[in-house]
Amino acid sequence: QNHSETVCLSVVLLLSVVCLGVSSQPITDSQRLFSIAVNRVTHLHLLAQRLFSDFESSLQTEEQRQLNKVFLQDFCNSDYIISPIDKHETQRSSVLKLLSISYRLVESWEFPSRSLSGGSSLRNQISPRLSELKTGILLLIRANQDEAENYPDSDALQHAPYGNYYQSLGGNESLRQTYELLACFKKDMHKVETYLTVAKCRLSPEANCTL
């Protein structure tokens, strides 16, 4: 049994090195942090997709159609956070810029994430994971402070509640707010996943970071 456990551990360690894409080079603390951050945001994005999908499946076809139409005309509260407009701008952005935007997006969801609809087992995972991810991104920002930009000032990141979601709304309006909240959460977690993945890829010079 001990031999089997040793073999399993060796396989896990080998896979970890391969997944980091630095099998021929020493693994730095920054690379480890990036890998952890990417894994965490990937899981959050999957949770966001699951919550949104579960909510959509509970709606009538006409409700889905109407909500889709309304959402296309609306904006997420986090859209005021300036971020790359396309994949080309993302690839041209510095590591620190991508980290700073990711930090702001994660920060903007810490409070409204408590009101996301869905199964309690899914919801209960989100807030602590967002907090852990924010801490990890801040560590990465501090490790990249030699770049010209400043990392986010926490005092400037205290956001108001997500739009007017917390106002007393009833009926269809409440349904619309829930739909928009879940759709925006999914959208923003996808953004953070993309930005952190590109930033992590930059640590491996021979890697292809094309989106």
mmCIF file with all atom_site columns, all heavy atoms in Angstrom, residues 89-100:
data_model
loop_
_atom_site.group_PDB
_atom_site.id
_atom_site.type_symbol
_atom_site.label_atom_id
_atom_site.label_alt_id
_atom_site.label_comp_id
_atom_site.label_asym_id
_atom_site.label_entity_id
_atom_site.label_seq_id
_atom_site.pdbx_PDB_ins_code
_atom_site.Cartn_x
_atom_site.Cartn_y
_atom_site.Cartn_z
_atom_site.occupancy
_atom_site.B_iso_or_equiv
_atom_site.pdbx_formal_charge
_atom_site.auth_seq_id
_atom_site.auth_comp_id
_atom_site.auth_asym_id
_atom_site.auth_atom_id
_atom_site.pdbx_PDB_model_num
ATOM 1  N N   . GLU A 1 89  ? -6.171 43.290 -27.345 1.00 0.00 ? 89  GLU A N   1
ATOM 2  C CA  . GLU A 1 89  ? -5.778 44.214 -26.282 1.00 0.00 ? 89  GLU A CA  1
ATOM 3  C C   . GLU A 1 89  ? -5.388 43.453 -25.024 1.00 0.00 ? 89  GLU A C   1
ATOM 4  O O   . GLU A 1 89  ? -4.487 43.870 -24.293 1.00 0.00 ? 89  GLU A O   1
ATOM 5  C CB  . GLU A 1 89  ? -6.917 45.193 -25.981 1.00 0.00 ? 89  GLU A CB  1
ATOM 6  C CG  . GLU A 1 89  ? -6.499 46.298 -25.010 1.00 0.00 ? 89  GLU A CG  1
ATOM 7  C CD  . GLU A 1 89  ? -7.587 47.318 -24.754 1.00 0.00 ? 89  GLU A CD  1
ATOM 8  O OE1 . GLU A 1 89  ? -8.521 47.418 -25.579 1.00 0.00 ? 89  GLU A OE1 1
ATOM 9  O OE2 . GLU A 1 89  ? -7.501 48.020 -23.724 1.00 0.00 ? 89  GLU A OE2 1
ATOM 10 N N   . THR A 1 90  ? -6.064 42.334 -24.777 1.00 0.00 ? 90  THR A N   1
ATOM 11 C CA  . THR A 1 90  ? -5.714 41.497 -23.622 1.00 0.00 ? 90  THR A CA  1
ATOM 12 C C   . THR A 1 90  ? -4.281 41.016 -23.735 1.00 0.00 ? 90  THR A C   1
ATOM 13 O O   . THR A 1 90  ? -3.506 41.067 -22.775 1.00 0.00 ? 90  THR A O   1
ATOM 14 C CB  . THR A 1 90  ? -6.663 40.286 -23.521 1.00 0.00 ? 90  THR A CB  1
ATOM 15 O OG1 . THR A 1 90  ? -8.002 40.740 -23.332 1.00 0.00 ? 90  THR A OG1 1
ATOM 16 C CG2 . THR A 1 90  ? -6.271 39.386 -22.350 1.00 0.00 ? 90  THR A CG2 1
ATOM 17 N N   . GLN A 1 91  ? -3.903 40.560 -24.913 1.00 0.00 ? 91  GLN A N   1
ATOM 18 C CA  . GLN A 1 91  ? -2.553 40.039 -25.116 1.00 0.00 ? 91  GLN A CA  1
ATOM 19 C C   . GLN A 1 91  ? -1.492 41.135 -25.045 1.00 0.00 ? 91  GLN A C   1
ATOM 20 O O   . GLN A 1 91  ? -0.344 40.872 -24.694 1.00 0.00 ? 91  GLN A O   1
ATOM 21 C CB  . GLN A 1 91  ? -2.474 39.315 -26.462 1.00 0.00 ? 91  GLN A CB  1
ATOM 22 C CG  . GLN A 1 91  ? -3.255 38.003 -26.465 1.00 0.00 ? 91  GLN A CG  1
ATOM 23 C CD  . GLN A 1 91  ? -3.311 37.361 -27.844 1.00 0.00 ? 91  GLN A CD  1
ATOM 24 O OE1 . GLN A 1 91  ? -3.477 38.040 -28.849 1.00 0.00 ? 91  GLN A OE1 1
ATOM 25 N NE2 . GLN A 1 91  ? -3.168 36.056 -27.886 1.00 0.00 ? 91  GLN A NE2 1
ATOM 26 N N   . ARG A 1 92  ? -1.881 42.373 -25.347 1.00 0.00 ? 92  ARG A N   1
ATOM 27 C CA  . ARG A 1 92  ? -0.921 43.488 -25.299 1.00 0.00 ? 92  ARG A CA  1
ATOM 28 C C   . ARG A 1 92  ? -0.800 44.068 -23.878 1.00 0.00 ? 92  ARG A C   1
ATOM 29 O O   . ARG A 1 92  ? 0.138  44.810 -23.600 1.00 0.00 ? 92  ARG A O   1
ATOM 30 C CB  . ARG A 1 92  ? -1.354 44.607 -26.257 1.00 0.00 ? 92  ARG A CB  1
ATOM 31 C CG  . ARG A 1 92  ? -1.208 44.266 -27.728 1.00 0.00 ? 92  ARG A CG  1
ATOM 32 C CD  . ARG A 1 92  ? -1.293 45.528 -28.585 1.00 0.00 ? 92  ARG A CD  1
ATOM 33 N NE  . ARG A 1 92  ? -2.563 46.225 -28.408 1.00 0.00 ? 92  ARG A NE  1
ATOM 34 C CZ  . ARG A 1 92  ? -3.630 46.026 -29.166 1.00 0.00 ? 92  ARG A CZ  1
ATOM 35 N NH1 . ARG A 1 92  ? -3.582 45.139 -30.150 1.00 0.00 ? 92  ARG A NH1 1
ATOM 36 N NH2 . ARG A 1 92  ? -4.744 46.688 -28.957 1.00 0.00 ? 92  ARG A NH2 1
ATOM 37 N N   . SER A 1 93  ? -1.734 43.746 -23.015 1.00 0.00 ? 93  SER A N   1
ATOM 38 C CA  . SER A 1 93  ? -1.732 44.301 -21.657 1.00 0.00 ? 93  SER A CA  1
ATOM 39 C C   . SER A 1 93  ? -0.632 43.668 -20.810 1.00 0.00 ? 93  SER A C   1
ATOM 40 O O   . SER A 1 93  ? -0.308 42.490 -20.961 1.00 0.00 ? 93  SER A O   1
ATOM 41 C CB  . SER A 1 93  ? -3.090 44.063 -20.988 1.00 0.00 ? 93  SER A CB  1
ATOM 42 O OG  . SER A 1 93  ? -4.126 44.702 -21.709 1.00 0.00 ? 93  SER A OG  1
ATOM 43 N N   . SER A 1 94  ? -0.084 44.464 -19.908 1.00 0.00 ? 94  SER A N   1
ATOM 44 C CA  . SER A 1 94  ? 0.971  43.962 -19.028 1.00 0.00 ? 94  SER A CA  1
ATOM 45 C C   . SER A 1 94  ? 0.398  42.979 -18.006 1.00 0.00 ? 94  SER A C   1
ATOM 46 O O   . SER A 1 94  ? -0.814 42.963 -17.748 1.00 0.00 ? 94  SER A O   1
ATOM 47 C CB  . SER A 1 94  ? 1.632  45.131 -18.292 1.00 0.00 ? 94  SER A CB  1
ATOM 48 O OG  . SER A 1 94  ? 0.726  45.704 -17.359 1.00 0.00 ? 94  SER A OG  1
ATOM 49 N N   . VAL A 1 95  ? 1.273  42.195 -17.415 1.00 0.00 ? 95  VAL A N   1
ATOM 50 C CA  . VAL A 1 95  ? 0.858  41.252 -16.378 1.00 0.00 ? 95  VAL A CA  1
ATOM 51 C C   . VAL A 1 95  ? 0.206  41.995 -15.217 1.00 0.00 ? 95  VAL A C   1
ATOM 52 O O   . VAL A 1 95  ? -0.846 41.591 -14.717 1.00 0.00 ? 95  VAL A O   1
ATOM 53 C CB  . VAL A 1 95  ? 2.066  40.427 -15.879 1.00 0.00 ? 95  VAL A CB  1
ATOM 54 C CG1 . VAL A 1 95  ? 1.703  39.660 -14.602 1.00 0.00 ? 95  VAL A CG1 1
ATOM 55 C CG2 . VAL A 1 95  ? 2.539  39.454 -16.952 1.00 0.00 ? 95  VAL A CG2 1
ATOM 56 N N   . LEU A 1 96  ? 0.823  43.100 -14.804 1.00 0.00 ? 96  LEU A N   1
ATOM 57 C CA  . LEU A 1 96  ? 0.285  43.847 -13.659 1.00 0.00 ? 96  LEU A CA  1
ATOM 58 C C   . LEU A 1 96  ? -1.081 44.447 -13.972 1.00 0.00 ? 96  LEU A C   1
ATOM 59 O O   . LEU A 1 96  ? -1.966 44.493 -13.112 1.00 0.00 ? 96  LEU A O   1
ATOM 60 C CB  . LEU A 1 96  ? 1.254  44.942 -13.235 1.00 0.00 ? 96  LEU A CB  1
ATOM 61 C CG  . LEU A 1 96  ? 0.935  45.625 -11.902 1.00 0.00 ? 96  LEU A CG  1
ATOM 62 C CD1 . LEU A 1 96  ? 0.840  44.606 -10.773 1.00 0.00 ? 96  LEU A CD1 1
ATOM 63 C CD2 . LEU A 1 96  ? 1.981  46.685 -11.580 1.00 0.00 ? 96  LEU A CD2 1
ATOM 64 N N   . LYS A 1 97  ? -1.259 44.911 -15.208 1.00 0.00 ? 97  LYS A N   1
ATOM 65 C CA  . LYS A 1 97  ? -2.560 45.464 -15.590 1.00 0.00 ? 97  LYS A CA  1
ATOM 66 C C   . LYS A 1 97  ? -3.633 44.383 -15.542 1.00 0.00 ? 97  LYS A C   1
ATOM 67 O O   . LYS A 1 97  ? -4.738 44.601 -15.028 1.00 0.00 ? 97  LYS A O   1
ATOM 68 C CB  . LYS A 1 97  ? -2.486 46.065 -16.996 1.00 0.00 ? 97  LYS A CB  1
ATOM 69 C CG  . LYS A 1 97  ? -3.807 46.675 -17.456 1.00 0.00 ? 97  LYS A CG  1
ATOM 70 C CD  . LYS A 1 97  ? -3.674 47.328 -18.820 1.00 0.00 ? 97  LYS A CD  1
ATOM 71 C CE  . LYS A 1 97  ? -4.997 47.943 -19.264 1.00 0.00 ? 97  LYS A CE  1
ATOM 72 N NZ  . LYS A 1 97  ? -4.889 48.597 -20.588 1.00 0.00 ? 97  LYS A NZ  1
ATOM 73 N N   . LEU A 1 98  ? -3.336 43.196 -16.055 1.00 0.00 ? 98  LEU A N   1
ATOM 74 C CA  . LEU A 1 98  ? -4.301 42.096 -16.042 1.00 0.00 ? 98  LEU A CA  1
ATOM 75 C C   . LEU A 1 98  ? -4.621 41.663 -14.611 1.00 0.00 ? 98  LEU A C   1
ATOM 76 O O   . LEU A 1 98  ? -5.768 41.369 -14.277 1.00 0.00 ? 98  LEU A O   1
ATOM 77 C CB  . LEU A 1 98  ? -3.754 40.904 -16.838 1.00 0.00 ? 98  LEU A CB  1
ATOM 78 C CG  . LEU A 1 98  ? -3.583 41.137 -18.345 1.00 0.00 ? 98  LEU A CG  1
ATOM 79 C CD1 . LEU A 1 98  ? -2.883 39.939 -18.987 1.00 0.00 ? 98  LEU A CD1 1
ATOM 80 C CD2 . LEU A 1 98  ? -4.940 41.372 -19.006 1.00 0.00 ? 98  LEU A CD2 1
ATOM 81 N N   . LEU A 1 99  ? -3.614 41.671 -13.758 1.00 0.00 ? 99  LEU A N   1
ATOM 82 C CA  . LEU A 1 99  ? -3.825 41.314 -12.353 1.00 0.00 ? 99  LEU A CA  1
ATOM 83 C C   . LEU A 1 99  ? -4.684 42.370 -11.654 1.00 0.00 ? 99  LEU A C   1
ATOM 84 O O   . LEU A 1 99  ? -5.578 42.035 -10.870 1.00 0.00 ? 99  LEU A O   1
ATOM 85 C CB  . LEU A 1 99  ? -2.480 41.181 -11.634 1.00 0.00 ? 99  LEU A CB  1
ATOM 86 C CG  . LEU A 1 99  ? -1.644 39.941 -11.957 1.00 0.00 ? 99  LEU A CG  1
ATOM 87 C CD1 . LEU A 1 99  ? -0.251 40.071 -11.341 1.00 0.00 ? 99  LEU A CD1 1
ATOM 88 C CD2 . LEU A 1 99  ? -2.330 38.674 -11.467 1.00 0.00 ? 99  LEU A CD2 1
ATOM 89 N N   . SER A 1 100 ? -4.411 43.647 -11.928 1.00 0.00 ? 100 SER A N   1
ATOM 90 C CA  . SER A 1 100 ? -5.158 44.731 -11.281 1.00 0.00 ? 100 SER A CA  1
ATOM 91 C C   . SER A 1 100 ? -6.634 44.704 -11.670 1.00 0.00 ? 100 SER A C   1
ATOM 92 O O   . SER A 1 100 ? -7.511 44.882 -10.826 1.00 0.00 ? 100 SER A O   1
ATOM 93 C CB  . SER A 1 100 ? -4.547 46.087 -11.659 1.00 0.00 ? 100 SER A CB  1
ATOM 94 O OG  . SER A 1 100 ? -3.222 46.186 -11.187 1.00 0.00 ? 100 SER A OG  1
#
